[in-house]
Amino acid sequence: MTRAKKRRECPPLFLHSRLRALGARIKGEMKEPFFVLRDEVVLETFGEESLVLLLDALELRRINAVSRRLLDSLATPRSATVLAAALDMQPPVVAAALREMEAQRILRRIVSLKQERNETMQDPTYLTNPEVSYRPEDDDGAILFNADTDGLEVINPTAMEIWKTLAAPRTEAEVVARLCEVFDDAPREEVAKDVSEFLESMVKKGFIGIVEEAS
Amino acid sequence: MLPEDCCDGLPDVTEAEQPSPELNLPPDVPALRTFYLYLSAGCNLHCRHCWITPTFVNGKPVPAECLDFNALEQAVADAKPLGLTSAKLTGGEPTLHPEFVRIVDFLADQGIGMTMETNGTLIDGNLARHLAAKKLSHIAVSLDSSDPAWHDSFRGRKGAFEDTVRGVSHLVEAGFRPQIIMSVCRENLDHIEGLIALVQKIGAGSVKFNPVTASGRGKEMHNDGGGLSFDELMALTRRIRGELQDRFPIHLCIMIPPALLTAKEILRDKSAGGGCHVRNILGLLGTGEMALCGVGRNVPELCFGTLGKDNLRDVWISHPTLVGLRKDLDGPFHGLCGDCVHAKRCLTHCVAMNYEMTGKLVNVSPLCAEADRRGLFPVSRRVGG
């Protein structure tokens, strides 16, 4: 059956709904995040497993063969859909692996960050500025350094946890929830206050950004 | 007094200050915010380590070695349009100046905020109350041991300990919480805890530990093996900012380049991450010379002219050494500093000490250079990581 013939067979209402579905899919793909390997990462493979060294934080991560395959294709930004198609993998599996590697600071998301929230933003998500390198010194504190601006911050263990949480976009409430899990003896109000102050200060200084919502 | 003495009582330097447009200064000239007034080139003590090497004054000082009041009056008039807002009274011993009280009153009348460094021996109750009435914001007093005999021997005058402790007590009674500055060498390393306990007992507010540097009379002490080695200095820093600060409630401080402090140490004492205000300071020596700071006493090329002969505004705006210093401090920095995340705030730590030890003002701090040679410079503080 030719396409033209099929179209003729479609009642007008059905045709419109097909077009709407197609539009929604295109819009969805445009919204789908793109990821890329962070510059500060070195990979080494040992049999079925690979080790990832984060040069700025001097931390090691262990990844499986699936993740390693994905990383080989992430020297340039790709979305989960594109990667899944290129590597003949299941999109949900790819998406989950990408999110996991983002949280581990192996990958970074290509996203536009802002220093001010729109009036219309109800619950903005925050993300660490990819230009800032994170350098933990034992468990006592860490150095944040932006080589582009010479910006420097020294942060305490609570702020270190917030920083790690914001390797992937999170709302303020999600950050508070995460910190309450880690510091389970700290009063929630105190944690919420610390998180709010830290986010405000870091966004102002450009170390953390507000994720720009797709229009 | 040591070069690090210059780092007190003033707001922390975290970013280069932008000149205010109302000052009408050329765009690349910073405001002259602070005078370091070396009021007297003489001192009533003869300390074994002093970097300023003042003339020992046994009685009244020679007038020619005290900053002339009229010259100071004119200097303040010239510097206010350049942004002058504060002055540090130091020396030698500043209270030796025969017109010390008149100077304090004049600066207060001019709205110039004041801090002071003193050996405290000449401060009685009246003077302490007067200083409080004139609202000095910070007073630092030198005291090197809780052992009177040792302090007297180090300071070169019997009875110095007793006089200093009495002076501190007068300041405390007048409402000050003075900072005690302990000059540390190998001989008094074991006196630190005793001194902190004494400082708490007499009501002072904090202790700053200044390792004796190899400048002025300290050079001889270092040549004789009395100065602290790199290892001793780093161990002392860890001890003061760690174990001792944990145990004692008063603020303890020791200044080394921020790159050599741990993140925990910087977090504990926010001022530790900053640097010297050298961009915004002009030293006035007792002789009336305009200098980088007290280093001009020993290093003539770091004097830029003389009050009454040379125009202060011209010196501030155009003296080649100051122009070169500003340019170098704006970066890019070279060598290790060029690869250090702290460089723009640390400003090579102490340019006076750099000059005395390396012949260059803007140069890698000798401490950082030594850390680098030993492979101890923290990787986390390198720009490249």
Side-chain angles (χ1 to χ4, degrees):
Chain A
M1 191 185 296
T2 65
R3 182 170 295 219
K5 192 173 177 188
K6 190 177 179 183
R7 261 188 195 167
R8 273 197 304 274
E9 286 171 357
C10 289
L13 187 63
F14 180 72
L15 177 63
H16 287 146
S17 68
R18 285 283 302 267
L19 283 174
R20 273 201 302 275
L22 182 63
R25 200 182 126 217
I26 291 168
K27 202 172 172 188
E29 279 177 4
M30 283 173 73
K31 272 190 180 174
E32 191 185 18
F34 280 57
F35 295 91
V36 68
L37 193 62
R38 289 179 64 229
D39 291 339
E40 301 84 358
V41 161
V42 174
L43 304 171
E44 196 66 59
T45 298
F46 302 94
E48 285 299 299
E49 285 191 327
S50 295
L51 285 179
V52 178
L53 171 62
L54 309 185
L55 289 172
D56 51 351
L58 293 180
E59 291 172 355
L60 271 179
R61 306 273 188 262
R62 182 177 290 184
I63 55 170
N64 60 25
V66 171
S67 294
R68 175 65 213 233
R69 270 187 80 198
L70 295 173
L71 290 184
D72 285 338
S73 301
L74 281 167
T76 53
R78 299 263 195 283
S79 69
T81 305
V82 170
L83 276 172
L87 301 175
D88 196 19
M89 294 166 73
Q90 289 297 314
V93 172
V94 173
L98 292 179
R99 279 197 301 275
E100 174 63 22
M101 287 194 286
E102 180 188 32
Q104 293 192 333
R105 285 178 284 120
I106 299 168
L107 299 179
R108 67 181 174 87
R109 181 181 294 240
I110 305 296
V111 71
S112 177
L113 295 177
K114 303 192 309 172
Q115 279 183 274
E116 282 174 14
R117 59 188 281 185
N118 291 341
E119 297 280 325
T120 54
M121 272 186 183
Q122 291 298 315
D123 200 6
T125 53
Y126 297 87
L127 186 69
T128 54
N129 179 346
E131 304 303 326
V132 175
S133 66
Y134 166 74
R135 301 150 181 215
E137 294 186 351
D138 302 324
D139 293 329
D140 296 328
I143 304 290
L144 300 177
F145 181 63
N146 185 342
D148 287 350
T149 62
D150 269 321
L152 175 74
E153 285 291 321
V154 185
I155 59 172
N156 64 22
T158 308
M160 287 165 75
E161 206 53 51
I162 300 176
W163 188 267
K164 286 188 278 184
T165 303
L166 290 176
R170 300 273 186 266
T171 64
E172 189 171 328
E174 286 169 338
V175 177
V176 172
R178 168 70 187 147
L179 256 69
C180 286
E181 278 173 31
V182 177
F183 304 105
D184 55 2
D185 54 345
R188 193 176 184 90
E189 302 75 42
E190 210 170 284
V191 172
K193 185 170 169 280
D194 285 349
V195 169
S196 174
E197 285 173 1
F198 182 72
L199 287 178
E200 187 184 344
S201 158
M202 289 291 112
V203 169
K204 204 170 173 183
K205 293 173 182 172
F207 283 76
I208 287 173
I210 297 170
V211 179
E212 191 148 24
E213 287 172 346
S215 53
Chain B
M1 291 165 198
L2 295 164
E4 290 90 337
D5 277 358
C6 50
C7 315
D8 67 64
L10 297 167
D12 306 325
V13 174
T14 49
E15 300 293 339
E17 186 195 353
Q18 298 302 312
S20 313
E22 71 271 17
L23 296 177
N24 194 25
L25 284 163
D28 51 347
V29 177
L32 197 182
R33 292 288 179 211
T34 306
F35 273 157
Y36 278 10
L37 300 177
Y38 298 84
L39 293 182
S40 164
C43 187
N44 59 335
L45 302 183
H46 193 269
C47 309
R48 280 160 51 194
H49 66 291
C50 187
W51 77 294
I52 295 276
T53 61
T55 317
F56 177 56
V57 176
N58 191 11
K60 288 186 176 170
V62 181
E65 293 199 329
C66 288
L67 187 60
D68 179 70
F69 181 83
N70 294 330
L72 174 63
E73 212 174 18
Q74 185 58 52
V76 169
D78 291 342
K80 280 178 87 172
L82 303 177
L84 186 74
T85 55
S86 65
K88 180 167 79 170
L89 314 177
T90 183
E93 171 49 39
T95 57
L96 264 184
H97 195 295
E99 295 186 288
F100 176 72
V101 171
R102 190 181 173 203
I103 288 172
V104 168
D105 292 351
F106 163 69
L107 292 170
D109 288 347
Q110 291 290 314
I112 305 294
M114 283 174 278
T115 62
M116 180 166 79
E117 291 170 346
T118 172
N119 61 38
T121 57
L122 301 173
I123 295 178
D124 59 17
N126 284 336
L127 182 56
R129 283 189 291 277
H130 191 77
L131 296 174
K134 296 300 169 183
K135 299 190 173 10
L136 267 73
S137 61
H138 178 90
I139 297 182
V141 182
S142 305
L143 188 62
D144 309 310
S145 172
S146 55
D147 175 351
W150 193 90
H151 177 84
D152 287 358
S153 146
F154 192 62
R155 292 278 164 180
R157 209 200 76 189
K158 198 167 168 45
F161 176 89
E162 200 181 315
D163 291 346
T164 295
V165 171
R166 191 172 47 243
V168 171
S169 300
H170 286 309
L171 289 169
V172 171
E173 279 165 24
F176 288 104
R177 295 268 287 156
Q179 178 178 71
I180 298 301
I181 294 188
M182 178 184 187
S183 296
V184 189
C185 60
R186 201 164 279 170
E187 265 184 60
N188 67 347
L189 267 176
D190 293 339
H191 302 206
I192 287 175
E193 287 189 48
L195 182 88
I196 299 172
L198 172 69
V199 166
Q200 289 193 120
K201 194 174 148 196
I202 59 179
S206 60
V207 189
K208 187 162 175 236
F209 300 89
N210 280 347
V212 172
T213 51
S215 50
R217 290 186 203 133
K219 223 173 245 175
E220 202 176 322
M221 183 180 278
H222 271 263
N223 290 341
D224 293 345
L228 299 186
S229 67
F230 176 84
D231 288 331
E232 285 169 327
L233 177 55
M234 294 311 294
L236 177 65
T237 303
R238 297 287 98 88
R239 190 172 158 228
I240 287 168
R241 289 187 174 273
E243 176 219 330
L244 292 176
Q245 189 64 84
D246 287 341
R247 283 173 44 206
F248 291 97
I250 62 170
H251 181 229
L252 307 177
C253 160
I254 180 167
M255 301 298 285
I256 63 169
L260 304 183
L261 293 173
T262 64
K264 188 180 179 184
E265 287 165 346
I266 295 175
L267 285 165
R268 194 168 208 176
D269 178 4
K270 288 284 183 190
S271 65
C276 177
H277 294 256
V278 65
R279 272 199 186 96
N280 306 99
I281 289 167
L282 185 66
L284 301 183
L285 306 187
T287 54
E289 287 167 294
M290 293 174 266
L292 184 75
C293 63
V295 72
R297 168 96 177 155
N298 301 329
V299 185
E301 64 267 31
L302 293 179
C303 291
F304 312 133
T306 306
L307 297 175
K309 291 182 194 158
D310 302 289
N311 181 289
L312 187 144
R313 183 183 169 90
D314 291 346
V315 164
W316 183 252
I317 291 174
S318 317
H319 193 280
T321 304
L322 288 174
V323 171
L325 175 65
R326 288 163 195 154
K327 189 170 166 285
D328 290 348
L329 288 177
D330 283 342
F333 292 91
H334 301 291
L336 183 59
C337 294
D339 190 29
C340 176
V341 300
H342 294 279
K344 283 209 165 173
R345 293 155 197 84
C346 165
L347 301 177
T348 71
H349 192 49
C350 175
V351 296
M353 195 195 298
N354 294 343
Y355 194 87
E356 290 231 72
M357 298 188 74
T358 70
K360 278 176 75 178
L361 288 168
V362 178
N363 205 351
V364 177
S365 149
L367 278 175
C368 289
E370 184 62 23
D372 193 33
R373 259 193 298 279
R374 292 165 177 241
L376 297 175
F377 193 87
V379 176
S380 59
R381 309 304 173 90
R382 290 185 185 272
V383 171

